[in-house]
Amino acid sequence: MTSPATPDSPTPAPAPGPPPRLPSPLEEVGDRRFERYGVRLVLKRDDLIHPELIGNKWRKLTPNLEAAAGRPLVTFGGAYSNHLRATAAAGRLLGLPTLGVVRGQELADRPLNPSLARCAADGMRLHFVDRSTYRHKTDPGTLAAILRATGSEDAYVVPEGGSNALAVRGCVALGEELRDADGIDVAALACGTGGTLAGTAAGLGPGRRALGVPVLRGGFLDADVTALQKAAFGARRGTWSLDDRFHFGGYARTTPELDSFAEDFEQRHGLPVERLYVAKLLYGLVALAGEGAFPRGTTVAAVITGAPFPAAGAGT
Ligand SMILES: *Cc1c(COP(=O)(O)O)cnc(C)c1O
């Protein structure tokens, strides 16, 4: 565990903590499950950008931290949200108060799970709301009531998962990094709100495509990604598609098969596999390669959008 950094000036820097590692590294992986079909797999290690604003959270949050201009942050998430933890860490690094609105009133009476405990340890105030309120959190009346109830009327509101137009534009650079790396045909990533896909697809440029693997059930993501691209760019951008077959029952759901797949991938390639998103992406890519979905000679970049929590060996 790193100790809290003290900002050296009263003006919060837009990029907190150590300088980001950008462009994020690209790693070759030799994996027979792809090579057999003439497909080359590379890992785009966004998980190495920053030790605390991990992966796509750095790309999405930093433009919002700049826009917040030192105001307290309010944001939203479920009990295992990577976005809540990243926002809490950003608040600690920048010395900004943060409030997390958490889905599930019933959680208020239970001990905090490790993810929420991490948020609280980083100084995030947690405000639990029932599922119906949570569902309506973007309605102006509901949002105003939440802000009033928590004394957050002057706060900067970051939407659930951190996906807004600024975040989407922040992810364009991910697509551009892949465009500028030689020979990548497909950028594949796991999707929650779809903000990362929306931005990445826009940055890829012609001749390349983005493939999203939603980890939530419901088939709503096509519309959401389109709406995010319209908000960020005024229109749909780039070539992208979704494959809805690899959510394993929904957000934070898993199966013994997925668990053993992730463990095996870690052993083969020494990559710590984040379980909510990255495991489902990698599983989906192996399945797609096996189906012959990628023509021979295709290079697929799997974006490693995050790292496991708690970190392997962290002992918490
Ligand atoms: C938040 C997160 C995502 C989802 O990003 P969206 O922009 O919401 O689609 C994917 N992978 C990891 C590891 C994440 O933490």
Side-chain angles (χ1 to χ4, degrees):
M1 208 96 318
T2 51
S3 57
T6 333
D8 20 71
S9 83
T11 319
R21 193 166 164 196
L22 289 172
S24 64
L26 209 52
E27 278 174 9
E28 295 285 334
V29 279
D31 192 311
R32 280 190 310 109
R33 295 170 294 184
F34 294 85
E35 287 165 355
R36 182 186 297 159
Y37 301 99
V39 177
R40 176 173 158 244
L41 177 71
V42 297
L43 305 180
K44 176 68 171 160
R45 297 292 305 272
D46 262 24
D47 57 314
L48 301 178
I49 292 177
H50 190 283
E52 298 195 74
L53 270 59
I54 296 171
N56 61 352
K57 301 304 181 277
W58 192 93
R59 298 188 188 270
K60 294 167 73 172
L61 265 176
T62 47
N64 279 289
L65 295 170
E66 195 170 350
R71 279 178 288 165
L73 303 170
V74 172
T75 195
F76 304 84
Y80 297 95
S81 167
N82 292 343
H83 165 69
L84 278 188
R85 284 201 313 284
T87 306
R92 169 168 55 72
L93 292 166
L94 293 175
L96 297 178
T98 56
L99 175 85
V101 179
V102 184
R103 176 178 58 227
Q105 183 66 56
E106 72 282 0
L107 300 173
D109 309 319
R110 298 192 199 146
L112 297 179
N113 73 26
S115 187
L116 293 175
R118 179 72 250 166
C119 293
D122 275 342
M124 178 175 266
R125 198 151 56 94
L126 299 174
H127 179 70
F128 297 89
V129 299
D130 63 71
R131 278 148 211 278
S132 159
T133 305
Y134 192 87
R135 218 172 12 255
H136 295 107
K137 62 191 173 303
T138 55
D139 297 353
T142 307
L143 177 61
I146 291 172
L147 296 180
R148 218 176 313 117
T150 55
S152 310
E153 289 95 333
D154 62 339
Y156 180 84
V157 177
V158 180
E160 178 178 41
S163 282
N164 55 14
L166 285 175
V168 170
R169 287 191 219 118
C171 292
V172 172
L174 170 55
E176 291 171 344
E177 288 172 27
L178 292 167
R179 176 197 67 193
D180 297 342
D182 242 16
I184 287 166
D185 303 295
V186 180
L189 57 154
C191 301
T193 59
T196 308
L197 177 70
T200 303
L204 279 177
R208 290 167 212 88
R209 67 184 179 96
L211 167 66
V213 170
V215 306
L216 282 85
R217 281 158 60 114
F220 53 84
L221 206 62
D222 212 293
D224 285 5
V225 173
T226 302
L228 284 164
Q229 289 199 322
K230 285 195 173 137
F233 314 116
R236 259 184 89 121
R237 283 284 170 88
T239 307
W240 57 268
S241 62
L242 299 167
D243 192 322
D244 251 318
R245 294 175 296 160
F246 306 110
H247 56 65
F248 287 86
Y251 186 70
R253 299 284 176 87
T254 186
T255 65
E257 189 192 0
L258 181 64
D259 287 336
S260 55
F261 171 87
E263 275 166 35
D264 173 70
F265 200 96
E266 291 184 329
Q267 273 157 22
R268 282 176 197 244
H269 301 302
L271 173 83
V273 175
E274 191 272 349
R275 294 300 203 270
L276 302 185
Y277 294 93
V278 176
K280 294 178 182 180
L281 168 70
L282 295 170
Y283 185 100
L285 289 179
V286 170
L288 284 162
E291 290 171 2
F294 305 115
R296 297 193 82 83
T298 301
T299 295
V300 178
V303 183
I304 307 306
T305 42
F309 176 84
T316 47

